[in-house]
Amino acid sequence: MAVKTIEWRDDSVRMIDQRLLPSRETIRIYKDYRGVAEAIRTMVIRGAPAIGVAAAMGVALGLRGYAGARAKARFNVVAKALKATRPTAVNLAWAVDRMGRVLEANLSLDADRLFGRVRAEAIAIYKEDLEANHALGRFGAELLSDSSTVLTHCNAGALATAGYGTALGVVRAAKEAGKKIAVFADETRPFLQGSRLTAWELHKDKIPVTVIADNMAATVLRSGRIDCVIVGTDRTAANGDVANKIGTYPLAVMARRHKVPFYVAAPLSSIDLNCASGDQIPIEERSGLELTEFKGRQIAPKGVATFNPAFDVTPHELVTAIITERGVAFPPYKKSLKKLKERS
Ligand code: MRU
């Protein structure tokens, strides 16, 4: 994709404002960690790996000009602010903690050299995510037949990562391998990551994409037009339970009902072995205004009660395989995920 999701340039962080897509391609520039935290919180940037990269870059910005004990104290403040933005995607805390370990190991450096070191680490996290997506894309592509139609949910594409995408990375790699690939994209209520973002980036790349409303998925699966479902994940537990955008769980149930494989594309940074099962994954609840208003216009009675969880957990029994950059994990996931993670 020509448009970059996030970029470190001239010691500032640039992001495309995903809230405005597909109508406008606006680049936001942040020079301060507070701006980065606000960008994550307000969904200028979203998607688990992308917010991990953003948080790492935010830490680097936050540490500029600090050294020694002052840098340590500053890190605590910056890390707290960044971690408080969104709770479900483990990539965010993972990236912040990794930056913290680099700081610990370099406390003897002066401020300039320390900034250079943490900046290099944030850029490394960006590059590693890009490489992981290409690698998992290649593994995933092998699971697809020469002519495949994939159903996906939310946006697990270039916009949700450093680039290329996880679920859409598999689609892109299959296309690059010469396979004939088409995608059905759930629109993904209420934030519309599917119709706004997935459709936008696939359309831009000339990969055939058909948008459906979420409640049409069962009909499409029943019609026999879908060869497999591929989704991303915000956090996958040690037992293979998968937290992903709300609406993923019903999709997995429907896929099982129609005997369609249900694949999860997950970089190892999204797999959290500290969570034994999905029950331990914190699920973000968002403002009810996302349900009662549409583009600022009231669409439900003012004052009506709402419930707006941003993610759900798909039980591991419904997951056919988990595609990582180190290979494909099959059940039992407790064993296969541990093996892949320990190699990393
Ligand atoms: O609320 P969002 O848009 O950040 O949710 C994103 C998702 O649920 C994605 O599917 C997930 O982060 C995987 S992205 C590779």
Side-chain angles (χ1 to χ4, degrees):
M1 266 219 327
V3 176
K4 282 209 162 92
T5 304
I6 181 164
E7 191 183 6
W8 181 281
R9 202 197 288 180
D10 301 331
D11 286 342
S12 51
V13 180
R14 302 165 78 97
M15 303 176 194
I16 185 162
D17 190 338
Q18 301 195 25
R19 300 167 306 180
L20 305 179
L21 291 171
S23 325
R24 268 179 288 156
E25 295 180 25
T26 303
I27 304 295
R28 308 270 174 216
I29 300 173
Y30 303 98
K31 293 179 187 302
D32 180 82
Y33 82 90
R34 292 178 197 84
V36 172
E38 191 59 6
I40 297 172
R41 196 185 66 74
T42 57
M43 312 271 277
V44 168
I45 189 162
R46 31 64 51 201
I51 62 177
V53 171
M57 292 182 174
V59 171
L61 288 181
L63 289 175
R64 189 170 194 177
Y66 288 79
R70 283 185 68 241
K72 235 174 134 163
R74 173 76 167 175
F75 173 77
N76 292 337
V77 173
V78 171
K80 195 169 165 209
L82 287 163
K83 283 187 181 181
T85 54
R86 298 195 74 195
T88 303
V90 68
N91 307 62
L92 197 155
W94 169 86
V96 171
D97 291 343
R98 178 167 155 178
M99 295 296 287
R101 286 193 296 277
V102 169
L103 169 67
E104 282 292 334
N106 291 282
L107 282 173
S108 58
L109 298 182
D110 64 36
D112 279 355
R113 290 177 63 208
L114 181 63
F115 177 60
R117 181 64 194 87
V118 290
R119 176 180 55 195
E121 192 68 16
I123 293 169
I125 289 174
Y126 169 91
K127 285 187 179 154
E128 284 169 28
D129 184 60
L130 199 53
E131 281 163 22
N133 294 335
H134 280 273
L136 75 82
R138 285 190 293 272
F139 282 118
E142 288 172 20
L143 298 169
L144 305 191
S145 60
D146 284 348
S147 175
S148 283
T149 301
V150 174
L151 173 59
T152 192
H153 189 70
C154 193
N155 172 265
L159 288 167
T161 61
Y164 204 64
T166 58
L168 298 190
V170 175
V171 167
R172 290 192 164 99
K175 190 185 170 211
E176 284 160 22
K179 301 186 183 195
K180 192 169 167 259
I181 299 293
V183 175
F184 273 68
D186 279 353
E187 72 174 348
T188 315
R189 278 280 294 155
F191 209 73
L192 306 179
Q193 288 94 331
S195 53
R196 294 191 304 106
L197 309 177
T198 294
W200 181 74
E201 60 169 90
L202 290 178
H203 203 59
K204 226 174 159 63
D205 273 2
K206 300 195 169 39
I207 296 173
V209 56
T210 304
V211 172
I212 56 170
D214 302 344
N215 54 7
M216 297 164 192
T219 296
V220 175
L221 281 160
R222 194 175 183 198
S223 73
R225 297 162 80 177
I226 304 297
D227 297 292
C228 66
V229 176
I230 313 180
V231 295
T233 178
D234 292 85
R235 186 185 308 225
T236 288
N239 70 344
D241 289 350
V242 172
N244 191 47
K245 180 52 55 194
I246 191 79
T248 301
Y249 172 34
L251 201 54
V253 173
M254 291 186 265
R256 179 57 57 92
R257 171 73 177 81
H258 296 288
K259 299 186 173 60
V260 171
F262 182 88
Y263 298 124
V264 176
L268 293 169
S269 57
S270 299
I271 295 170
D272 185 1
L273 297 186
N274 293 323
C275 277
S277 78
D279 293 342
Q280 280 97 57
I281 299 177
I283 300 294
E284 174 185 2
E285 268 191 50
R286 296 185 59 82
S287 163
L289 293 178
E290 288 182 356
L291 300 171
T292 56
E293 293 183 356
F294 188 76
K295 289 191 166 179
R297 218 184 102 223
Q298 197 75 25
I299 55 167
K302 255 203 169 100
V304 77
T306 55
F307 175 50
N308 187 19
F311 303 95
D312 59 24
V313 175
T314 299
H316 58 93
E317 303 86 26
L318 297 175
V319 178
T320 310
I322 298 174
I323 306 159
T324 80
E325 67 270 39
R326 297 220 164 210
V328 180
F330 292 97
Y333 292 115
K334 235 171 135 176
K335 240 174 145 179
S336 55
L337 290 180
K338 190 163 180 266
K339 211 168 142 192
L340 286 172
K341 265 295 247 199
E342 277 170 357
R343 278 177 51 207
S344 63

